[in-house]
Amino acid sequence: MTPTEQHLGIRFLFSRPQYFLALGFGAGLIPKAPGTAGAAVGILFYLTSISHLAVYWQLIVMAALFIIGWHVCETTGRAIGQHDHSMIVWDEIWAMAAVFVFIPASASTAVAAFFLFRLFDIWKPWPINRIEKRLQNGLGVMLDDLLAASYTVLTIVLAHRLFGWS
């Protein structure tokens, strides 16, 4: 553990509201695969907080949460000393929730969306990899997951349309 990471933990999580949000309500403190934990929290977040809203309101809420995420990821990254530290998982939470605004609701699409999103988020195909390298700030943190979510939605919609899969 590096000296920078030694000050991170429960005390850091609760020290400021923006850290609590950026660290995904604590999901970012999971030592193995915090991004995967964040994506799982994103599904729960969508189902418990956003899914009951009309699509129009879901889009407005997600746009507002993107802007908030930009700020909290930026602030938390500066506090940690690394713009996209693995403990910052709000971007995964937001992106996974955003995916569910656009895909047909079923258990099979939810499972596929989860795995596809994690694949695109880890693999970082073009232009995700370029954005991650060029925008080393809160906007870059949020945008790379926005693109991974977009690839996920596109893949699921294409599979649904081409193969009748749902």
Side-chain angles (χ1 to χ4, degrees):
M1 184 177 290
T2 68
T4 301
E5 292 172 336
Q6 287 176 349
H7 79 279
L8 302 175
I10 296 293
R11 189 183 305 169
F12 180 79
L13 174 73
F14 289 110
S15 65
R16 294 185 185 242
Q18 61 265 37
Y19 302 164
F20 184 74
L21 190 60
L23 273 57
F25 320 109
L29 296 179
I30 293 173
K32 300 287 184 192
T36 300
V41 170
I43 295 170
L44 294 173
F45 181 74
Y46 176 79
L47 292 173
T48 61
S49 303
I50 300 166
S51 64
H52 67 283
L53 300 172
V55 173
Y56 174 78
W57 286 109
Q58 289 182 33
L59 293 170
I60 290 171
V61 167
M62 294 310 295
L65 291 175
F66 182 91
I67 293 166
I68 291 167
W70 176 354
H71 170 71
V72 302
C73 291
E74 177 82 26
T75 305
T76 306
R78 268 193 259 122
I80 293 172
Q82 187 177 344
H83 82 281
D84 195 7
H85 193 281
S86 63
M87 295 173 80
I88 299 173
V89 296
W90 176 255
D91 50 329
E92 281 88 6
I93 292 171
W94 178 88
M96 194 74 249
V99 164
F100 286 96
V101 173
F102 297 99
I103 64 171
S106 74
S108 61
T109 55
V111 170
F114 180 79
F115 286 106
L116 284 168
F117 172 72
R118 291 306 296 145
L119 173 71
F120 292 129
D121 189 32
I122 293 166
W123 177 34
K124 299 197 185 306
W126 185 90
I128 299 171
N129 55 6
R130 293 182 67 104
I131 287 172
E132 182 184 48
K133 289 176 185 164
R134 291 190 181 191
L135 291 176
Q136 299 205 348
N137 55 28
L139 179 59
V141 170
M142 292 298 292
L143 277 179
D144 82 337
D145 286 272
L146 169 64
L147 288 173
S150 300
Y151 283 172
T152 300
V153 169
L154 180 63
T155 302
I156 288 175
V157 168
L158 283 173
H160 179 72
R161 297 217 177 180
L162 293 175
F163 307 112
W165 177 73
S166 59

